[in-house]
Each structure stands twice: as structure tokens, then as C-alpha cells.
Amino acid sequence: MIILNLMANILLNVLIAFLVGSVLFGFQRKIMARIQMRPGPPVIQHLLHTFKFFVKESSFPKTAAMPFYIAITAMLCVIWVSAVIVGPVTQGSLLLIFAIYALHKIVEHNAGSSSGSPYGKLSCVRAVFSAAAEVPLFAVLIIIYFKTGTMDISQIVSFQTTNGPLIYSIPLAAAMFFVLILSKAPYSPFAITKGKDIISGYETEHFGLLRGYLMISESIAWYMLLWVFLTVFIGGLNPLLYLVGMVILSTVVAFINATTPILNPNHSIMMQASLALIGVVGSLILLL
């Protein structure tokens, strides 16, 4: 019975993550369109596209490295389903969630190279560069540990219940994590792995069922990044407040994306690294 309840809880949270993440992606596109004085697609457009790909014909490039080309899409889904289990389901270790994100970066890199597409290969190179720029952002873990004395999400929530939200005491660390969220948003100034100059980046050669799995993983990943930000820097919230917080964060991201062009890879990496350096040094000074 315990195992059944756990499985049901996992399935429910994964379904919520997928649906909410998909709608938030559509909401972002709608906000961006309005800011740019366009009607924009329906809010459920990303969700509809995901379902659409599952009934589309799947094709496989002759240059693809089979079966790795197929397995990579399932791996991305498994990675972020694991993040849901560690996060909302069990409220386990924050360090483990960051390890899952690091694994995602490795798989993202190989997703493009497995297709043999020149666009995918260029996206792989950019993924390596972006990973190098995001490494300093992992210093946020150290800052959180220095402040709370723990990496356990449930204990971080308890700490904030007693001492107030961390976003007030370590705001620069929160800003660093927000930059990480921004870098994973579609049409972000930091989204160099999917820049329009390389079509869809590492997803260019994935069609049909495979693309559907990629879109599911994207939706769950977006939900999880927002969930971690709200939980770690504001505290444990009820479902309604989580939804409100995710909508607010997605609105801010949409405004930035609508008013800022996609940076070239060099500028993107330098800006992320500079913001990370400022955040790390500033946070350490505030902690002294």
C-alpha cells in the first residue's frame, strides 16, 4: 500500500509538472507577443504541440547514431522525472537536484551530436560553453549551505519558517539562480543552444515521438526550476501560492525575453559569468 501511494504521488506530481510547465511556456509566449504588439498563440499552444508530435510521423536521419539518438530523448524525461521525485515528492537533497541538472547538461550536449546534424553539433559546442558559464552559478549551493547549515530541502524550508525567506538575507544568490532559470527559457537572451541562427539547436533533427518526449522534459524542467527557486528562497508554499509565484516569475522572464535580443555566444557567456562573480563575491560579503 505504501509503495502504491508513493507511485500515485509521483505520477500526480509529474503530471502537474508537465501540465503547469506547458501552460507557463504558452503564457510566456502570449506575454511576449502582447509586449511586442502581436496577438500571439493560445496559452495552451505548447501543450497542443506536445500532443501533436506524438501523433506525427517519426523520422530518423541517416547520419544519426542509433540507438543513442533514440535513447537520449527518454533519458531527458527520466532525468527530470527524477528531479520531481527528489523535489516535490520527497523534498530531498538540493545537492542532488543540482547534480540532476548537471546530468541534464551532459545529455543536452549529446542530444545534438547524436543526430549528426551540423546545427545540432554547433548547439553541442554552445552547450559546453554555456555549461562553463553556469558552473559559477553552482556556488549558490555553498552560499545556501553557509546560511542554513544544510542541503536538505525540508530543513531549508524549516529554516525559513523560523528566520524568514532566504531571498531577503541572500538576495544575490537568488538573483544568480534566477539567471540560471532565465538561461533555460525559450527566446531568452542567454538561450544560445537554441538560437535562431541554428534553427532549433540540438532538437533540429528530432521529429514525431522523439520531439514529443523532448517537449515533455522541457515542460517538467521549467516547472522544477521555478519550484526550486520558490521553495529554496521563499519557503514551503501551498499549491495556489506556488502557482502564483510561478506565474510571476514567468511574467518577468517573458518581459526580459520580449525586450532583449538573443546575445551572441561570447557575450552571453561573459555576461552570465560576470553576474555569477558579482553574486558570489557580494553574497560572501553579506554573510561575513
Side-chain angles (χ1 to χ4, degrees):
M1 182 62 69
I2 296 177
I3 296 177
L4 289 177
N5 289 336
L6 178 60
M7 292 297 295
N9 191 19
I10 292 173
L11 290 174
L12 177 62
N13 277 276
V14 170
L15 180 62
I16 290 173
F18 165 62
L19 293 176
V20 173
S22 297
V23 173
L24 288 175
F25 272 150
F27 177 72
Q28 281 185 61
R29 291 188 63 184
K30 194 70 171 181
I31 294 295
M32 290 173 61
R34 293 295 182 176
I35 292 173
Q36 296 170 348
M37 302 182 69
R38 297 182 288 108
V43 173
I44 60 171
Q45 188 66 47
H46 191 274
L47 185 63
L48 294 177
H49 276 174
T50 302
F51 291 140
K52 176 190 72 176
F53 278 114
F54 277 96
V55 296
K56 288 285 187 179
E57 180 183 0
S58 297
S59 59
F60 308 96
K62 291 182 178 179
T63 56
M66 306 288 282
F68 187 63
Y69 170 77
I70 298 175
I72 206 77
T73 57
M75 290 172 63
L76 283 169
C77 278
V78 170
I79 286 170
W80 286 108
V81 168
S82 300
V84 172
I85 296 173
V86 176
V89 175
T90 63
Q91 293 203 1
S93 172
L94 184 61
L95 182 62
L96 186 55
I97 288 183
F98 271 71
I100 290 172
Y101 178 81
L103 184 60
H104 161 80
K105 293 297 296 183
I106 296 172
V107 177
E108 180 183 77
H109 168 75
N110 287 283
S113 62
S114 65
S115 69
S117 165
Y119 301 112
K121 291 178 180 178
L122 186 54
S123 179
C124 288
V125 174
R126 293 186 178 184
V128 174
F129 289 161
S130 66
E134 292 167 5
V135 166
L137 296 175
F138 280 71
V140 70
L141 282 172
I142 301 174
I143 295 168
I144 292 172
Y145 181 78
F146 282 165
K147 185 64 181 179
T148 65
T150 181
M151 288 285 187
D152 187 84
I153 295 176
S154 60
Q155 293 181 25
I156 293 174
V157 170
S158 299
F159 178 90
Q160 292 178 97
T161 302
T162 305
N163 301 279
L166 291 179
I167 197 169
Y168 296 136
S169 55
I170 48 174
L172 293 178
M176 290 167 61
F177 194 85
F178 180 78
V179 171
L180 181 63
I181 292 175
L182 182 60
S183 70
K184 303 307 296 180
Y187 315 107
S188 162
F190 302 135
I192 60 175
T193 59
K194 295 182 182 178
K196 294 307 174 185
D197 56 328
I198 52 174
I199 318 299
S200 298
Y202 63 87
E203 296 181 349
T204 301
E205 297 293 340
H206 288 83
F207 306 103
L209 188 68
L210 302 181
R211 186 63 167 266
Y213 279 121
L214 287 177
M215 294 186 73
I216 287 177
S217 66
E218 287 177 345
S219 299
I220 297 175
W222 183 249
Y223 174 91
M224 279 305 304
L225 289 173
L226 298 180
W227 184 89
V228 171
F229 181 91
L230 293 171
T231 304
V232 170
F233 293 105
I234 297 180
L237 305 173
N238 62 49
L240 178 60
L241 290 180
Y242 267 118
L243 182 60
V244 171
M246 289 179 181
V247 168
I248 292 174
L249 288 173
S250 295
T251 301
V252 173
V253 169
F255 180 82
I256 294 173
N257 294 349
T259 56
T260 309
I262 296 178
L263 301 174
N264 71 47
N266 292 334
H267 291 167
S268 173
I269 294 165
M270 287 303 298
M271 182 169 289
Q272 289 183 75
S274 298
L275 291 173
L277 179 61
I278 294 171
V280 171
V281 174
S283 296
L284 292 177
I285 291 174
L286 290 174
L287 288 175
L288 294 178

